[in-house]
Every structure is written in structure tokens, then in C-alpha cells.
DNA sequence: CTGATACTGAAGCATTCACTTAAGTATCAA
DNA sequence: TTGATACTTAAGTGAATGCTTCAGTATCAG
């Protein structure tokens, strides 16, 4: 279908793969080359580069090449966006649950209040 | 390959689909039936149920059936886990960047310090 | 009992995904 | 210049994903 993907879609999709999260984990401890990223992973470097492209397209990782070495680092802003999305939903749910608790408490027979 | 998926994998995968995030968004505003969930979505109810199963398997949504109506709600705990993962990586990156900034500042010629 | 409602499950299908291998292209070191 | 290093790209493959349709089942309302 080939349609436009908004940033949040790309970020969540990028993070949905365990290998890519391992790469982000590694990069969150500091910049690394593609080889360094690939070293602990049980797959070809080619596959790692493909994952890297997805992370970059999502804005989660940024990289620059100097000589023959490409150095990668995490871009915190893209992570923030995903984090915020989850946080907002979670807080919304928790607020609902609080209101429910208050409601249940207020509807309780008087003598049972303030457990 | 069919291998064990740990909770975080399932949660991130569940959230990687835009339709499922819309469902979570809707449910974060309060519980809903399957029909209510399906109503704004441009697909069959069958498809919605399939998405629902993925969200439930990931622990993001919980549901119970009373009579012929299944009522769904968000389980905040699973959201927390994903949120925490992102938060920890992001903070790690930001700490690294801070240390870098301090380093660069300390290595700067004296007269340029404290911009 | 009868029809409408609210799902539920199975099968099929096109597309996307996560790889692989193989054949590149730069860059660096000696 | 020659070889090794560090990617890079293209093509192919099998499995997973996101749907569809169709044929159920269970519940409720009259």
C-alpha cells in the first residue's frame, strides 16, 4: 500500500524488534561503529546494517561516516516521543481507575468508609 | 522459528501497530466493548478481535465477557514496563551527552569557559 | 421459538519482515 | 600497489503479519 508513516509509527515499529532494541541498548551506553554493533549479534553485518537503516529512518539513531567507519549514536528525542505517548495513555488509565475508586468509595455504605 | 517471547517483546510488538495503538488510545479513556472498539476502525470486527488478542497476549489489555458483551480495559502495568525501558535508555544517552559536554568544557581553553 | 446482536474461529491471501548470500565500493596500512 | 578492513547494495527466501470472507456459537429481546 505504501503510505506515509508518521514519526511515532516509525519509532514504535523500530523498537518492536528485539535485535534493534539490543542495538539501542548498546548505543545508549555510548556511540559505536557498525562492526561493534554487529559483534555480539548472531547475524551477518548486512542484517545489522538493515536494522540500522530502520532505526535511522525512525530517527532513533543517527550516524556519520568518517573514513570507512560509520559511528552510530542514539537520538534521545525520538525515544522521548514514544515514551511520552505511553506515559500519557498510562496516566489516563490510572486517572480513570482513581475516579472509579473514589466513586466506589463514595457509594459505599457510610460505616464502611475510609477502610 | 517459534521461540519464547519475553513480556517486553510482546508489549513493544503489540504497540508497533497503529491500529492497536488507536485501540489502546480509546481504551485509555475508559473501558469499551469489542463493537465500540471496532466502530471507528476501517476494518472488519474479526480483524479487531485479532488485534485485541495480540494486545491481551502482551498483557496491555485485559477483558472479560458478560453475557454476549466482552468489555476491554487497559492494564497499566504492561505499559509501565515499556515506558521504563525507553526511559532508562533515554536517560542513559542523556547522561553520556552531559558527560561529553562537561569534558569538552573542561578541555576548552581557560578564557572560553562558562559561556 | 425466532430473529437480531455480539462476538468467535478457521481458512486463505497479499504484503512485509528478518534474514541470507554474493558481489560490490571505499579507505587505510604497509 | 596490494591486501585487509569496514561497510554497502541487490536479490532471493521463508515466515510472520494484517487483513478478508464465511460459517459458526452464545445470548438477549419480544
Amino acid at each position: 500500500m505504501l503510505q506515509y508513516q508518521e514519526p511515532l509509527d516509525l519509532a514504535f515499529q523500530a523498537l518492536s524488534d528485539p535485535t534493534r532494541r539490543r542495538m539501542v541498548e548498546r548505543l545508549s551506553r555510548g556511540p559505536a561503529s557498525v562492526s561493534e554493533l554487529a559483534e555480539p549479534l548472531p547475524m551477518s553485518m548486512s542484517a545489522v546494517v538493515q536494522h540500522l537503516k530502520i532505526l535511522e529512518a525512525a530517527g532513533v539513531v543517527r550516524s556519520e561516516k568518517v573514513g570507512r567507519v560509520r559511528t552510530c549514536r542514539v537520538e534521545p528525542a525520538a525515544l522521548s516521543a514514544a515514551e511520552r505517548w505511553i506515559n500519557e495513555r498510562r496516566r489516563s488509565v490510572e486517572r480513570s481507575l482513581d475516579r472509579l475508586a473514589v466513586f466506589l468509595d463514595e457509594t459505599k455504605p457510610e460505616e464502611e468508609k475510609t477502610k
Side-chain angles (χ1 to χ4, degrees), chain A:
Chain A
M1 219 180 260
L2 277 180
Q3 58 188 51
Y4 167 74
Q5 300 256 77
E6 57 174 316
L8 212 57
D9 284 356
L10 292 172
F12 272 112
Q13 260 236 44
L15 295 177
S16 72
D17 182 81
T19 298
R20 287 194 290 268
R21 282 204 309 284
R22 282 191 65 186
M23 290 169 69
V24 170
E25 237 159 72
R26 166 65 190 81
L27 291 176
S28 72
R29 290 193 289 276
S33 69
V34 178
S35 309
E36 282 166 350
L37 270 181
E39 194 269 324
L41 299 173
M43 62 186 70
S44 70
M45 183 151 86
S46 187
V48 172
V49 171
Q50 289 171 54
H51 281 303
L52 190 59
K53 276 179 185 161
I54 292 169
L55 287 167
E56 290 210 56
V60 173
V61 166
R62 191 165 37 89
S63 77
E64 52 181 342
K65 197 163 184 175
V66 176
R68 49 185 175 170
V69 177
R70 176 171 297 279
T71 302
C72 315
R73 63 197 76 242
V74 172
E75 186 64 64
L79 288 185
S80 291
E83 192 183 340
R84 197 176 321 115
W85 187 92
I86 300 180
N87 182 266
E88 280 163 9
R89 303 318 167 248
R90 185 180 57 78
R91 284 179 46 204
S92 176
V93 175
E94 284 169 355
R95 251 181 293 131
S96 303
L97 290 177
D98 283 351
R99 281 196 302 270
L100 177 62
V102 168
F103 171 77
L104 290 178
D105 189 60
E106 281 172 354
T107 355
K108 223 183 251 177
E110 275 309 308
E111 69 274 15
E112 282 185 32
K113 272 193 188 174
T114 65
K115 170 184 76 200

